[in-house]
Amino acid sequence: MMTFILSVDQLLSNVEQSFIFLFIWNLMRPFKPTSVFISSLEGGQEESPLKYSEFPLPQIISIQRHRDNLGFMAENGSLVTEFILLGFQVQAELQMGLFLVFLVLYLITMVGNLGMIVLIQSDSRFQTPMYFFLSHLSFLDICYSSVIVPQLLETLDTDKMVITFERCATQFFFFTLCASAECFLLAVMAYDRYVAVCNPLLYATAMTPQTRLGLVAGAYAGGMFNSVVRTGCTFSISFCKSNQVDFFFCDLPPLMKLACSETRLREQVIYFLAFSVITTSVLVILISYLFIIRAILKIHAIGGKAKTFSTCASHMTAVALFFGTLIFIYLKGNMGKSLEKDKIVSVFYTVLIPMLNPMIYSLRNKEVKEALKKALDRMRVSK
């Protein structure tokens, strides 16, 4: 089991060198870049800040070698090329308990979401737009959780974890991509419910396979754009106050506390993007459900109202949990001032919500429960 977890964790290391540095750093060139000091290579000459944006892409590779050797200047004069994730900083006897808890939660997340994807793909009853979007939600939850939890387990196992600058940027990039894409996907799922409830006769023609693919592609494209800009703004900052990140993964609030360069413009861009992603998604969801509620109120049969509302209840629960925690972390006025609270809330939306989503959508869905029961029965018969 540990081999599987470490293999997922190792994936980030393999990706970071070939993807993040040549791709993200080149896209960051419009921003003010991090300075790299080369005085030690010049035999005591004056410090000369070397800026990535002053060089074309082929020369960035050689500059990266200098940065690997020298790192970033800390306030005590030492040079660092890595961050130290401090994690939860609990007593030693609690470390193993937390490790086991998060391991079990991660395994449940993987089994639940993979099972949901397999169930949707294998049962002809689920070849509908709603379940198509749900399978992508499960995929994002798998990626979302796998970006964070294996490293969290390693941090708990070693008390603290050293992570390279590039690997930190890689994790930040994929974490932001998955979170942003999930925001847009939940909005797409709300629109899907609106069409199904308010225009049932046009549902089949409105939600064609091409339309579904276009909506999902738009969600991933929006997540990619937000992730590229957000990662660029964050990792073009000079980190020199310390290399100790008081968190269990590379997230925005703890990283901003380490910045020693001017961050106001970057923070404004980051806040604007976060506000835009969350607000746009929430508005689409609210408007969709206002029309849905209006349509439900026009139904005279009490049973019909309950049945129609039940098709949306699972989605509303998932939306409330996901957006509630994101708003608490990123749109509150004191972001990063209480990292201990942020850690608890972050555990909720990086560990618990990906685990709960398959349960939310299956326990309240009669079709999913019946299909799951039949699948389990077939497994027993085959044995």
Side-chain angles (χ1 to χ4, degrees), residues 44-241:
Q45 294 180 9
E46 294 183 0
E47 292 177 346
S48 61
L50 187 60
K51 299 181 178 181
Y52 287 117
S53 60
E54 296 173 357
F55 294 84
L57 180 60
Q59 294 184 20
I60 292 179
I61 300 174
S62 61
I63 295 172
Q64 163 67 2
R65 295 195 185 101
H66 290 296
R67 197 198 63 76
D68 287 339
N69 292 330
L70 296 174
F72 296 91
M73 187 71 71
E75 62 182 358
N76 63 1
S78 62
L79 294 166
V80 294
T81 59
E82 56 199 17
F83 295 110
I84 299 176
L85 298 176
L86 300 180
F88 291 99
Q89 302 181 63
V90 296
Q91 296 178 354
E93 53 269 23
L94 296 178
Q95 295 276 81
M96 183 54 65
L98 284 176
F99 178 89
L100 293 174
V101 168
F102 286 120
L103 176 60
V104 170
L105 293 178
Y106 179 61
L107 293 177
I108 294 173
T109 300
M110 297 298 288
V111 171
N113 285 288
L114 284 173
M116 183 68 73
I117 293 173
V118 171
L119 199 65
I120 291 172
Q121 296 299 320
S122 61
D123 197 313
S124 59
R125 289 178 297 175
F126 299 138
Q127 306 307 308
T128 63
M130 182 180 75
Y131 291 106
F132 174 78
F133 297 132
L134 182 56
S135 65
H136 280 275
L137 181 66
S138 294
F139 171 73
L140 282 174
D141 283 337
I142 290 171
C143 298
Y144 200 22
S145 185
S146 297
V147 167
I148 303 298
V149 180
Q151 182 175 280
L152 170 59
L153 294 174
E154 188 175 349
T155 304
L156 288 170
D157 186 47
T158 60
D159 191 35
K160 62 182 180 180
M161 178 181 174
V162 176
I163 183 172
T164 64
F165 180 87
E166 291 80 8
R167 185 177 177 187
C168 185
T170 303
Q171 183 186 60
F172 188 90
F173 175 83
F174 284 110
F175 162 72
T176 305
L177 171 61
C178 293
S180 304
E182 186 155 335
C183 287
F184 292 124
L185 185 61
L186 288 171
V188 167
M189 294 173 74
Y191 173 72
D192 171 71
R193 291 296 84 207
Y194 154 74
V195 177
V197 173
C198 299
N199 300 286
L201 298 178
L202 299 176
Y203 184 61
T205 56
M207 284 293 174
T208 62
Q210 293 78 11
T211 303
R212 300 179 219 167
L213 288 173
L215 290 171
V216 169
Y220 285 118
M224 175 68 75
F225 175 79
N226 183 45
S227 183
V228 167
V229 177
R230 195 166 180 260
T231 305
C233 288
T234 303
F235 287 89
S236 60
I237 294 172
S238 294
F239 300 101
C240 61
K241 290 184 178 180

